[in-house]
Each structure stands twice: as C-alpha cells, then as structure tokens.
Amino acid sequence: MDADYGIPRQLSDLQKLRSQYQPELPPCLQGTTVRVELRDATTAADPFGEHTIKRFFPHTYGQPLAHFLRATAKVPDAQIITEHPAIRVGVVFCGRQSPGGHNVIWGLHDALKVHNRKNILLGFLGGSEGLFAQKTLEITDDVLATYKNQGGYDMLGRTKDQIRTTEQVNAAMDACKTLKLDGLVIIGGVTSNTDAAHLAEKFAETKCPTKVVGVPVTLNGDLKNQFVEANVGFDTICKVNSQLISNVCTDALSAEKYYYFIRLMGRKASHVALECTLQSHPNMVILGEEVAASKLTIFDITQQICDAVQARAEHDKNHGVILLPEGLIESIPEVYALLQEIHGLLRQGVSSDKISSQLSPWASALFDFLPHFIRKQLLLHPESDDSAQLSQIETEKLIAHLVETEMNKRLKEGTYKGKKFNAICHFFGYQARGSLPSKFDCDYAYVLGHICYHILAARLNGYMATVTNLKNPANKWHCGAAPISAMMTVKRYGRGAGQASIGVPALHPATVDLKGRSYELLSQNATKFLLDDVYRNPGPLQFDGPGADAKAVTLCVEDQDYMGRIKKLQEYLDKVRAIVKPGCSQDVLKAALSAMASVTDILSVISSPSSASTPF
Amino acid sequence: MDADYGIPRQLSDLQKLRSQYQPELPPCLQGTTVRVELRDATTAADPFGEHTIKRFFPHTYGQPLAHFLRATAKVPDAQIITEHPAIRVGVVFCGRQSPGGHNVIWGLHDALKVHNRKNILLGFLGGSEGLFAQKTLEITDDVLATYKNQGGYDMLGRTKDQIRTTEQVNAAMDACKTLKLDGLVIIGGVTSNTDAAHLAEKFAETKCPTKVVGVPVTLNGDLKNQFVEANVGFDTICKVNSQLISNVCTDALSAEKYYYFIRLMGRKASHVALECTLQSHPNMVILGEEVAASKLTIFDITQQICDAVQARAEHDKNHGVILLPEGLIESIPEVYALLQEIHGLLRQGVSSDKISSQLSPWASALFDFLPHFIRKQLLLHPESDDSAQLSQIETEKLIAHLVETEMNKRLKEGTYKGKKFNAICHFFGYQARGSLPSKFDCDYAYVLGHICYHILAARLNGYMATVTNLKNPANKWHCGAAPISAMMTVKRYGRGAGQASIGVPALHPATVDLKGRSYELLSQNATKFLLDDVYRNPGPLQFDGPGADAKAVTLCVEDQDYMGRIKKLQEYLDKVRAIVKPGCSQDVLKAALSAMASVTDILSVISSPSSASTPF
C-alpha cells in the first residue's frame, strides 16, 4: 500500500473545470430539515426465499422503507430529525472501481458537515484491507478538492474487497469499535452490498452500535431491483464504450474489410452490452441472457453470426461490428458445464496441467476442440464469487476464430461468395473504468452520498441508499432507503461442487429482462441494425451542450420509479381510510367493501407463490 | 463495394452540432483574390540522394516553393491569379483512414465553388480501386452536409490504396483523361504521397494535363519534414488515445495491482507514443527510435522494464502503465533480422509452416525462444511497404510475457520483494481512428483543402499542400505548397531480399528525433513519470471550453515554421540587394562583401555532404 492516497493530484484544465461543478440536490435534501417517513415493513420480492432470508436476518429483515421528504411535505407520520449530535462515519470503496465513486464520499462529507461541523468522516485506505487494518484518512475539504467529479477510486484506493469470512467480519467490527464509528458506508456492487447486509445483521446481533449502509456503485449495472433503478458508473462506462464502438463502426464503414468483435466488461449480465447497442447501433449483439434462455450452444452462436455475415455479403457488405458481453462464456450451457468441472477439480487441488485428463469424456471432447489460447484461460482459478475470471477469457477471440473457420469452409464450398472474412478483436473495459464521470453519475453519486447521511441520522441499519425516478431531472428525483435484505434472493439450484453460496441469501446480479422494454426496443431494431448500418455516434463524453445531459437509453425506456409508486399506493390507502371513517354512509361503506374485496382477491391471486415466476 | 457511399447519415445531437462548425480560414485564403509567390527552386534535404531524385523526377524536381499570400501583401513578384476558368477535379482517399479527412474534401469543394460555380469536384468511390474503375460521386453541398467535421472516410470509402504498378498508374491516367480532370487530389500518408509524386512525374512526362496534388493526412504523424509540420488526424488520435491511457492510469492507481502494457497504432515511427506520453504521463514509454539507436535487444528491453517494476516496488508501488509503439518490434535489431529472414522466405514462396525449419541457426534459436502466439504473428505476410503486419503483432503481450517470466524469477531468487507481477495488455488504434476529429484537425484539414484549389489554380503539379506555424492560431498560419520530390530521400542500405524500393526515391516515415525538443522534454521528465505517478488526464475530447483548443505537445515545443523562415531569409536577401545597389558607397559595399563572405563560408561548411548527417 503506498502513501500517495488522498494527496492533491495535478489536474488538467478540463479536470479543473469539472472539479468546480456542483451537482444539484433534489429539493427534499436541500437545507438541514429533512423529513423521514418510515412506513410499511418490507418484504422480499422472492417469495420462495423469504423464510430463509428471515432466518439469516432476524434483526434486519422486514424493516420499513424510508422516504426522505422536504420539510414542508404534508405527510402526517413523517418526522423531522432535529437532533444532530456529532457522529463519526467510516467509508470504504469495495470492488471494481466505477466512475463517480468519489462523489458519494463528497456528498456524504457535505451532508455531515452541513448538519454538524463536528461530524467526522474517515476514509479507509486501500479498500477492505484498510478497514481490517484500521488505516484511515480523515476526509476534509482539502482532501476532496482534486477528487470532486473525478474518476477512479484513487483518493482511497481499493483491494480485493471481501468482508465475508468470520475473521474479516470480526476485523471489520473491531475497526468500527476502536474507531468509535456511528456509521460505516460501503460503496460497491452486488457482492459488497451483500457483505454490507450480513455485516449489519452481525452488528445488530452483537449490539455493535455502528450502523451499516450500502451504496449501489458498479459499472456492471447489475445491482437492479424494485428499489434500485441504476448504479453509479454505468452511465459513464456505457457512454465511453459507445464512443469507442461508434468509432469502430465508422472505421468498419470506411475500410469495409473487417469484422470487429468487441467484448464489453460488465460481468455476468449483459446490461452494458445492451445499453451500448442501443446507443451506438452496431450490427449485432449476442446477449448472454438470450443464449441462456434459448440454450444456444457455441456452434449455434457461430452459425448465427456466420449467417449474418453471409446475409450482409449478399448486400455487398463485407464489414461489421459485433458486441459480446464479458459474461457470455458462462451463458453458453456446455461451456458453463465445462467450467464447472474445471473449477471443481481446481478446488480439489488438481493442478491446471493435469485437469484436461480428469475431465468427463464429454467435457474433455469440448475442451480438446477449443483453441489453445482459450484452454489456458478456462483453466484459471475462479473468482471469489465462483464465476470464471471473465475479464481474462477472450471470448471474442474464440468466437471470431470459430466464425472465421466456418466462413472459410463456406467459401470453399461455394455457399458463401463474399470477400475473405477478416476479424479484429477488442476488449473494452479498463480504458473506460477510470474515466471522468458523466454529469449523471456525478449528480447521482453526490445525492446518494447525502442520503447515506440521512440514513445514519435516522439510525437505520442494513439499508441501501436509493434514488428513483432517475430518468427525470434531479429536482424530481425520489430519495429513500430500503433494507438490503429485502432485495435478496436465495439460490436453490447450485451447480458444481463447493459453491459456498448455496442457500445463503444474497444480492444476485440482475440479468437483462427479456420481457422488458429495453430488450423489446432491441428486438424491434435488430434487423435494421444488422443490415442497414444505421451506426449512431454519440461522440466523446461531453460535459456541456448536446449529449451532456443524455441519460442511458435503458433507464429512459423502462418505466420504473417503484419507490414513487409505493408512496402513491400509500396515499390511496390513506385516502380510503379518510373517506370511509366510522360515521360514513352505508352506501359508501358497501361500495368500499366491494371494491376492496375485488382488489384483494386480484392481488392474492397474482402474488401467490405458485404463479410468481422464479426470480432467476 | 456497396452503394451506401455519400448517402446522408443519421447524426447524433453532438454530431449535428459539429456538422455546423465552420473552420476559420487564415487571412491569406479569405476571399477570391489570393496572391501566389513562386520563388527559389527547391532542393532535396538529402544531399546524397539529390542526383537520384533528379533522375527519377526530371519534370517535377527543383520546382519552386509556393507561398499563398493575401491580396494586399506587398511582395513584388507575387501574382494574383485572376482567371478562374471552370475546372474538374478528382479526389481520392488513400490508406488508413484518419480523422479530418472529410474536411479536406469540404475545404476543396468550398474553394472550388467560391471561385467558379461551374467547377466540378468528383470523389472516387472506394479509394484507389474506385479511381482505377472510374467510379465517382459528384461532391455537392448535399453530399457534404452530414460529413462536415465528422470522422472516418465513409463518405467515399477506401480500399488497399496503392498507385504504383504500371497497370495501376495507367488506370489512374486513363481515369483522369476520360473524366477530363484538371486536377487529382490524393489524400494520404507517406506511401500515398510518394505515389502522388510519381504519378505527377508520369503525367508531366506523357503530357497528361491533370495536375496531381498530395495532402498530408495520416494518423501516424510520420509525414514530417522541413515543409510539413503535422498531419491531419494525428491530433485527434493522440487526444483520444491519451484519454484512454489516462483512464487506464487512474485505473492502475485505484486497483494498485496491475501493470498495463499499451501498444499504440502509428506504424514504424513512435510519434503517437511520444505525444501520448507527453499528454498523459504514463510511467514509461519504450520508443522504437531509442531501441534502434541503442541497439537494445529484446532482453535489454525486458531487463529495463523489470528494473523499473522493481524500483517502483521499492516505493510500495505495484502498478504501472507502459506504452509501446506499434512498430517497436521492427526496431529491435535481432527481431528485425528474424523478420527479414521470414519475409525473404515467404517471398520465395515457402509456406509458413515450413519456415521455421529453413531459418538460419541464429534466427531459428530466437524463433524457438518466442512464445507460440507471437511466432504465428511473425509468420504473417509483410505489407505492401515491406514492413511486417505491425497491427497484428501483439508486441505488448510478448513484452508482458517476458517481463512476467523475469519478475517471477526475481521473486523466487529473492531479488524482487514486491507483489506478484500482473499484466493487462491493450492495443489502442482502431477505436480512435473513426473518432470525431478535434477542432485542430477540422481546421487544418479544411485549410489544406482550400490550398489544394490554389495549387491547381496556379497549375502546379506534384506539390503537397502545406500549412506552417501551426502552433499559433489559424490567423497566423502560413499557407503554401512544396514539390513532393523535395521531401524525398533515397535508401541505400536495404536489408533482406526483394526490397523493391531500394534506390527509388520516396517519402520515408520520419522517425522521432532523439535530438529534438520533444524527446528532450520526455527525457527531462522520465524519472518523475516513472516513480511519482504524475498521471495527467486531459479527459475526453471536447469541442468547447478547456482543452478544446489544446494542440499537440510535440507540435508546440518544436520550433518549426520552416516556410516562414524561408520567407524571412528571402526578405533579408532582398534587403541586402536593395541597400547595396550600384552607386552605394565603397564602405557599404566592402562591409557587405565581408559579411556575405563570412555567411557563405559558414553555410558551405555546414551544408557540405561530409558533415551532413545521414537522414536515416
């Protein structure tokens, strides 16, 4: 770990300008009188898992949703927190860095200082390892100065970032106690927020006074559920990647001789690939969720792409751009099965050079069929979340190789009459992760930071900061908090040996919804994208003028705002109660009974476990 | 070839805004009365080659420099061209697409139309192949509308792009004759401009009335000489790459566990790598020119990097970013020798799987030592300019592999005590080539387009359009034209068999000048870059505000403006002549003689062939 954390960085002119940008706060968070409304207890969206979740989270499951409202909001039960004793808060970056992370800390710091100048914010140096080792840096205006609206996690750094083993949990608790922390804010994705929930439960159980808060920050965009619409960093990553994809599309159209295969960082789910497709209109995208749903084999995928290449050649087009999500390889059933066998053997301690001889005949046949470079990558040890080392497996090269082989065969056989097939492969990820965050991510992260303070001021534990209605301008955003345990699901059908997570409730990466509006938009345009080269170039990330305020397409087409709707429903219920008070007419009462009976009947049917779809 | 050329493209909001941007013309090109000054005959900078160049270019060598001046400029010999008969001009994109290329055509079109509405501009579809096949598209305001200030070459497309064989030259001549072209404008880099010069000579020899003009457009930035300060596209490429490199630097600093090896597109010379280093301050860059000058072996380079990694580890830094130019592999003496042997065998028709057995013992030993993936890439057929397929050879992976092996060895031996060495490799090129051009490239290309018209209006043949004093604002730019043959050199020491270019004058890629100011700037900062992580993030390409008007560092630190100085010298000579007219006093005459004798003595000594350094 080096001593460079938190030191002022030299900023370029553009960075300086950005460091002076002040994100807008929604009206409810302005000033120091924020009203908190705690209403109905939450329930897990996973009806099968509820029992298990309850068992794992006896202290923190079923807590109410929290809404943060402006002081003047007319909500009878909401309270204004007027006492703001000085508190001490720790904050830690966990997992892959994501643009905008610094702004969560900035927002939290501003909220702390505006409510009590004596509040203290400590940043843990070097991620979870810094937490365990109690290495801290006090966050001040001076420290923040050159990190406001800047990318990366370099103000504090991060490490491997897992808070899961008993040792790790105890070390975290020791740190919180020794440092007398009233709150611990964990900035990260699905894994880190799962850890945050378990830590919160542990703290509640052992009466450790530190409250734990999670913040949804992950470029993958896969921490999505009824309460969480978007993740900090996703917008920037998709904009930077879409710029590069568009540049490659222009290149393809100019040279007319290459097929570009571009793999996009984003872990198992295909959110980044889908969003980038909707932004830049490449010829084709293979979503992992489609492959899994249709159980496509690697040969099916190859044939599909070859057919596309052939169709384009018939229109005299010998170039193209094809996107692949990082996690595609694990969505292909037979490759996934092979990976599970390999990982099982690795866990048994079989050394990687001996594995191929111990595979089942079926897996062995597939393994031998694959090109040499990919075999080596498949033999890498799995990551801490049991997935393969997706960033290291060059799926784009594998697919390009298979397509080339098949196209050469078709050329020889005379079924394909186009030009010789040429592929160029790319992996876009690392070069986007450190980008200056987009305006959206700057704003969103800063607001989430403020919300973290209000969660702690309300003494809530095991919550995640949430903002909904994000597709609208910041002055219409709804700010709240939801218990992390309410977002969890329980996996029942584990594959392969040694999967420690079987049966343990966790946040699982949300996959692309194949029935959702974003996917529908893609389906409607797929043929046009494939054949007509309607490439769209959003251009480089701008901070002013056209495009600067553009939001993710998937965020805008999906009609979310779950938290807003929950509030709206509560208003209806309150109204019914107000109208049908004892003393109202018999007719009104009868009408109310009849209508409510019908409503409850419908809802019981819809929400019975037998009709609910499995959440994964 | 498809039918999509020149059709209006759907533009994003940012692209639309850019399409409305109007580049500024320097005062000398404004209006319709441009003065042309033709003065002293040019000479080749290569004193050894002059004789050969003269022999190859009897009609076009030694033509005077042309300066374009404003109508009011007080230059006695300059003439205003007042006759503007309607002319027909063809324009063709040659070679790798480079951002800004479209603006050359736009500028040329505007200049043509402002001087005579009846002027016709024809674009050749699909590069040189379109020229040979006489496939044209008339360039109109409508065609240009969605391509102004946009990247790529997709308005017209391009192909392999060579105009060199007798067949090709004749096809080009036929096209010019059939289409009754008064001028042919060739947009490209060193190879294409060499072809342009030979074509011009051929046309002059055969009395084909078409005048040929070259335009320096290449992202490599290697078409540099006394007359040419910069190439269209280089600025954009370096800005886009520097953004990505900076993002990777931020990433490295956040995760603190990776070394990133980034190879940069830019062919043999290391201009792009040098410029990107000066813009983004990565820890290290290995310039091909340094390697060639110091005759570093691949082991030397490995040791150098390993020593750097070790030095950083002693400062608790286990991350870093290292840049490599695309052409590095050919700068390493022993690998170059191996490549020459391989190419020689390939030219003899030896199939690639048999080559390893036919190598000399020495080359064979090196070949066997190299990892499998790189061997395959070294066996690829060379490009038309006899270089290896640089974009396909993953030098970054080779170096990372060798460094990893060595670091593991040092770790085992205990000489290295840092964390396990982890490398991630990148190749940045294709994703920058199609970018929206920077303001500088938009302006520069548009002005060059205008100059092409004035070259043709002055009936000059075999010239390249030039703008000097580029580091200053556009209203101070000096516009001119220089005979391409004056920029040529002759290679004497060819290596390997079958090098068709031995003895034929050509533009050769300019290498990074290890005695120049840019390199000096790098040397002064190298240690700081290596150890202090003074990463600089210029941010994404902007079109307004801070950074939008930034120019390449290498352009700004070098004090060029050769054309401006040539003009200044002529002014001195004119002044001496004016002062020392017959009738002046004996004393004045004596003083003049004494001073001039001294000047001529000094210049003779400096410019004698024996003291001149070999230009390559």
Side-chain angles (χ1 to χ4, degrees), chain A residues 219-238:
Chain A
L219 63 92
N220 308 328
D222 57 0
L223 205 177
K224 265 174 140 180
N225 52 55
Q226 62 272 46
F227 307 107
V228 183
E229 290 181 5
N231 307 147
V232 173
F234 179 75
D235 186 68
T236 307
I237 292 293
C238 291

Side-chain angles (χ1 to χ4, degrees), chain A residues 129-180:
Chain A
E129 288 189 10
L131 170 63
F132 307 146
Q134 306 184 16
K135 286 200 179 175
T136 62
L137 170 77
E138 186 174 341
I139 308 292
T140 62
D141 281 323
D142 282 350
V143 168
L144 283 165
T146 54
Y147 293 94
K148 292 175 181 175
N149 305 308
Q150 309 295 321
Y153 278 5
D154 47 325
M155 184 170 78
L156 298 178
R158 61 102 172 170
T159 48
K160 258 199 199 158
D161 303 320
Q162 208 193 15
I163 315 176
R164 198 173 308 165
T165 66
T166 312
E167 256 181 358
Q168 289 170 334
V169 169
N170 288 339
M173 187 151 38
D174 284 348
C176 290
K177 284 180 179 167
T178 310
L179 297 166
K180 297 193 178 24

Side-chain angles (χ1 to χ4, degrees), chain B residues 7 45 56 113 120 155-156 194 210 248 288 301 317 328 333 386 395 420 454 519 539 549-550 564-565 579 588:
Chain B
I7 58 164
F56 271 89
K113 292 298 177 184
I120 298 285
M155 183 169 78
L156 299 178
T194 300
T210 313
V248 167
I301 297 172
K317 289 178 179 168
L328 180 64
D386 292 320
T395 317
K420 190 179 171 329
H454 294 289
Y519 183 72
D549 291 305
R565 291 215 178 93
I579 297 171
V588 169

Side-chain angles (χ1 to χ4, degrees), chain B residues 17-281:
Chain B
L17 183 80
R18 290 304 299 157
S19 74
Q20 281 146 28
Y21 169 75
Q22 178 63 47
E24 186 189 344
L25 277 181
C28 63
L29 298 185
Q30 289 169 11
T32 54
T33 45
V34 173
R35 208 177 266 270
V36 186
E37 182 192 15
L38 298 170
R39 290 288 298 259
D40 301 340
T42 51
T43 176
D46 171 11
F48 297 97
E50 197 186 348
H51 182 73
T52 314
I53 299 173
K54 247 186 213 165
R55 195 159 49 80
F56 271 89
F57 296 95
H59 301 85
T60 53
Y61 180 74
Q63 297 184 95
L65 278 192
H67 300 275
F68 298 105
L69 311 170
R70 45 178 122 191
T72 54
K74 282 182 195 141
V75 178
D77 301 339
Q79 55 160 340
I80 294 177
I81 293 171
T82 46
E83 296 277 300
H84 290 279
I87 58 172
R88 294 168 61 83
V89 179
V91 62
V92 60
F93 282 132
C94 287
R96 282 183 173 181
Q97 48 271 37
S98 193
H102 286 140
N103 272 27
V104 175
I105 298 183
W106 178 26
L108 172 57
H109 177 262
D110 277 7
L112 280 164
K113 292 298 177 184
V114 88
H115 286 92
N116 190 334
R117 289 302 305 171
K118 290 191 186 144
N119 286 338
I120 298 285
L121 180 60
L122 298 176
F124 288 102
L125 297 177
S128 52
E129 287 189 10
L131 170 64
F132 306 147
Q134 306 183 17
K135 287 200 177 175
T136 62
L137 170 77
E138 186 175 342
I139 307 292
T140 63
D141 281 322
D142 283 349
V143 168
L144 283 165
T146 54
Y147 294 94
K148 292 176 181 174
N149 304 309
Q150 310 295 322
Y153 278 4
D154 47 325
M155 183 169 78
L156 299 178
R158 60 102 172 170
T159 48
K160 259 198 198 158
D161 304 320
Q162 209 194 16
I163 315 175
R164 198 173 309 163
T165 65
T166 311
E167 256 180 358
Q168 290 169 333
V169 169
N170 288 339
M173 186 149 40
D174 284 348
C176 291
K177 284 180 180 165
T178 310
L179 296 166
K180 296 191 177 27
L181 296 186
D182 301 283
L184 174 65
V185 174
I186 292 177
I187 297 174
V190 284
T191 315
S192 308
N193 277 285
T194 300
D195 287 351
H198 286 284
L199 200 63
E201 177 64 28
K202 180 79 183 172
F203 283 10
E205 181 197 328
T206 59
K207 307 230 178 330
C208 168
T210 313
K211 308 299 178 196
V212 183
V213 174
V215 193
V217 179
T218 166
L219 63 91
N220 308 329
D222 57 1
L223 205 177
K224 266 174 140 179
N225 52 54
Q226 62 271 47
F227 308 107
V228 183
E229 290 182 4
N231 307 147
V232 172
F234 179 76
D235 186 68
T236 307
I237 292 294
C238 291
K239 280 178 177 154
V240 175
N241 281 338
S242 294
Q243 168 204 357
L244 301 179
I245 295 163
S246 306
N247 289 351
V248 167
C249 289
T250 304
D251 200 71
L253 204 54
S254 303
E256 297 195 282
K257 56 179 180 177
Y258 295 121
Y259 269 88
Y260 293 89
F261 288 75
I262 303 175
R263 180 167 50 109
L264 294 167
M265 187 181 267
R267 307 283 310 152
K268 290 180 197 179
S270 308
H271 301 286
V272 174
L274 175 59
E275 176 63 31
C276 290
T277 303
L278 295 174
Q279 282 192 28
S280 59
H281 305 179

Side-chain angles (χ1 to χ4, degrees), chain A residues 2 4-5 12 97 153 158 247 251 254 256 317 394 397 424 430-431 433 435 537 541-542, chain B residues 2 5 12 15 97 153 158 247 251 254 256 317 394 397 424 430-431 433 435 537 541-542:
Chain A
D2 77 50
D4 285 358
Y5 292 127
S12 69
Q97 49 271 37
Y153 278 5
R158 61 102 172 170
N247 289 351
D251 200 69
S254 302
E256 297 195 283
K317 289 176 179 170
E394 296 172 305
K397 285 202 179 166
I424 293 179
Y430 297 103
Q431 59 267 64
R433 241 165 44 166
S435 172
N537 192 340
L541 186 58
Q542 300 294 295
Chain B
D2 76 51
Y5 293 127
S12 69
Q15 286 182 303
Q97 48 271 37
Y153 278 4
R158 60 102 172 170
N247 289 351
D251 200 71
S254 303
E256 297 195 282
K317 289 178 179 168
E394 296 173 304
K397 286 202 179 166
I424 293 179
Y430 296 104
Q431 60 266 63
R433 242 167 41 167
S435 171
N537 192 339
L541 186 58
Q542 300 294 296

